[in-house]
Amino acid sequence: MKINRPGLLLYISITAILVTLISAALYYSSIQQDDAVRINLAGRQRMLSQKILKELLLYSKGEVSRDTVIQSVNIFSQTQKALINGGPAPMTLDLSYTRILPELQDGEALKQLLEISQIWEPIERQITRYLADKNPESLKYIISKNDLFLQMTNDSAYTLQKKSEKNSSIIQAIITSLIMIILTFFFLYTYRKIKQLREADRRIKELETLLPICSSCKKIRTNNDEPKEIKSWTSIEEYLRKNNEMIFTHTVCPECMKKLYPDLKE
């Protein structure tokens, strides 16, 4: 099938747009997967902050070991670094499974996580100090920062959730655009095909109106598949009688009358 230049350019343009949209959808889908992991980890950070405080209080009573507290602190620190800078993030509390995260690009979420790290660093130092000598001032400092720290981790998880929802909206818009373009392309393709079929039908009807007639004897060809067969040709009278149910009567026109019977008077 011959495609004209405007049609070819249209097909190329639509294909390029589809490829671009599909690539964008795949990109945002991969981001969405990472966002889901970050949201879960940010929620776990909130839980870990309270778990660490609880373990410190139990440690002060001798009910949990120092190693238990250290493990929780290490998980929090490693997770915090992975959330900000990317890299391996512990997915389980026993550190048996990690997930590689890309570096965080969202400005607002990154700012909040950095603020959490600024608060966490002195808290971590006081935890280390308390585990070493059970200094009550260290425990007092940790408890005093708990409400603020909990609120900041909560805000961080909420911001990551909002970012994920925004990416979901983008993916939805891309999918909607893809559907609209595919439907438009299908409509244009169907319209073009219908137009071609109508043109072909018109040409067929036009060809059917062409009646092959012998230039010598004026017989009409009724079978185009076997034009050389005698039976494929019939007289005009016979053709009209079969196709129009006409009955012929014979007479002589004035011109032929003069030629055939010149002696007869009008």
Side-chain angles (χ1 to χ4, degrees):
M1 180 181 67
K2 186 178 180 181
I3 302 177
N4 55 26
R5 188 171 181 179
L8 181 61
L9 290 175
L10 176 62
Y11 289 136
I12 292 174
S13 300
I14 291 176
T15 301
I17 293 172
L18 287 173
V19 170
T20 302
L21 288 174
I22 291 171
S23 300
L26 292 174
Y27 170 73
Y28 278 102
S29 294
S30 65
I31 291 179
Q32 190 77 352
Q33 292 176 1
D34 293 330
D35 286 346
V37 175
R38 281 197 179 93
I39 292 167
N40 288 333
L41 291 177
R44 192 183 68 183
Q45 290 291 80
R46 180 176 52 195
M47 178 273 295
L48 272 174
S49 68
Q50 301 309 294
K51 182 174 184 289
I52 291 170
L53 179 59
K54 179 181 178 181
E55 288 174 349
L56 282 171
L57 294 173
L58 293 174
Y59 174 74
S60 66
K61 299 176 182 179
E63 296 181 11
V64 298
S65 67
R66 180 173 179 271
D67 291 340
T68 300
V69 181
I70 291 175
Q71 183 176 358
S72 297
V73 170
N74 288 338
I75 293 172
F76 189 97
S77 297
Q78 291 178 32
T79 302
Q80 192 67 16
K81 290 178 182 178
L83 286 172
I84 296 173
N85 303 316
M91 301 300 293
T92 57
L93 295 179
D94 60 0
L95 301 176
S96 61
Y97 171 63
T98 60
R99 164 79 180 264
I100 303 298
L101 289 178
E103 186 177 355
L104 183 62
Q105 301 296 326
D106 184 74
E108 184 180 358
L110 181 59
K111 180 183 176 182
Q112 289 182 337
L113 287 170
L114 288 173
E115 289 174 351
I116 290 173
S117 293
Q118 290 175 355
I119 299 294
W120 169 248
E121 287 173 3
I123 291 176
E124 186 178 17
R125 286 196 297 269
Q126 293 298 329
I127 291 173
T128 302
R129 182 181 175 185
Y130 185 75
L131 292 176
D133 56 15
K134 289 190 176 182
N135 188 316
E137 292 299 320
S138 296
L139 184 60
K140 183 178 179 181
Y141 176 85
I142 295 167
I143 294 173
S144 69
K145 296 295 182 180
N146 181 66
D147 290 343
L148 174 62
F149 197 61
L150 178 62
Q151 183 61 47
M152 292 178 70
T153 54
N154 186 66
D155 291 343
S156 173
Y158 177 76
T159 300
L160 289 170
Q161 178 65 39
K162 295 298 290 184
K163 175 180 176 290
S164 177
E165 291 173 359
K166 181 180 178 182
N167 288 336
S168 295
S169 298
I170 293 174
I171 293 173
Q172 233 174 11
I174 291 173
I175 292 173
T176 302
S177 299
L178 280 170
I179 293 173
M180 294 300 295
I181 289 174
I182 291 171
L183 288 175
T184 301
F185 181 78
F186 177 77
F187 172 78
L188 291 174
Y189 178 80
T190 304
Y191 174 78
R192 182 182 178 87
K193 283 296 181 183
I194 291 174
K195 189 176 180 181
Q196 290 176 345
L197 289 172
R198 286 179 177 174
E199 178 63 19
D201 185 60
R202 185 189 67 79
R203 291 285 298 161
I204 290 172
K205 289 180 178 179
E206 184 179 288
L207 290 173
E208 286 177 346
T209 60
L210 298 177
L211 198 60
I213 188 169
C214 178
S215 58
S216 176
C217 69
K218 307 305 178 186
K219 284 185 178 181
I220 295 172
R221 189 174 69 206
T222 56
N223 186 357
N224 293 323
D225 295 331
E226 298 177 343
K228 295 184 179 181
E229 295 292 330
I230 295 176
K231 62 182 179 180
S232 297
W233 297 82
T234 186
S235 65
I236 292 177
E237 293 92 339
E238 185 65 18
Y239 177 82
L240 291 176
R241 186 182 67 79
K242 287 182 177 180
N243 290 277
N244 296 283
E245 297 183 353
M246 292 183 177
I247 299 175
F248 283 85
T249 60
H250 292 82
T251 184
V252 181
C253 71
E255 291 183 0
C256 292
M257 179 68 76
K258 290 179 181 180
K259 292 178 182 179
L260 295 173
Y261 309 105
D263 296 335
L264 293 177
K265 296 180 179 180
E266 293 182 2

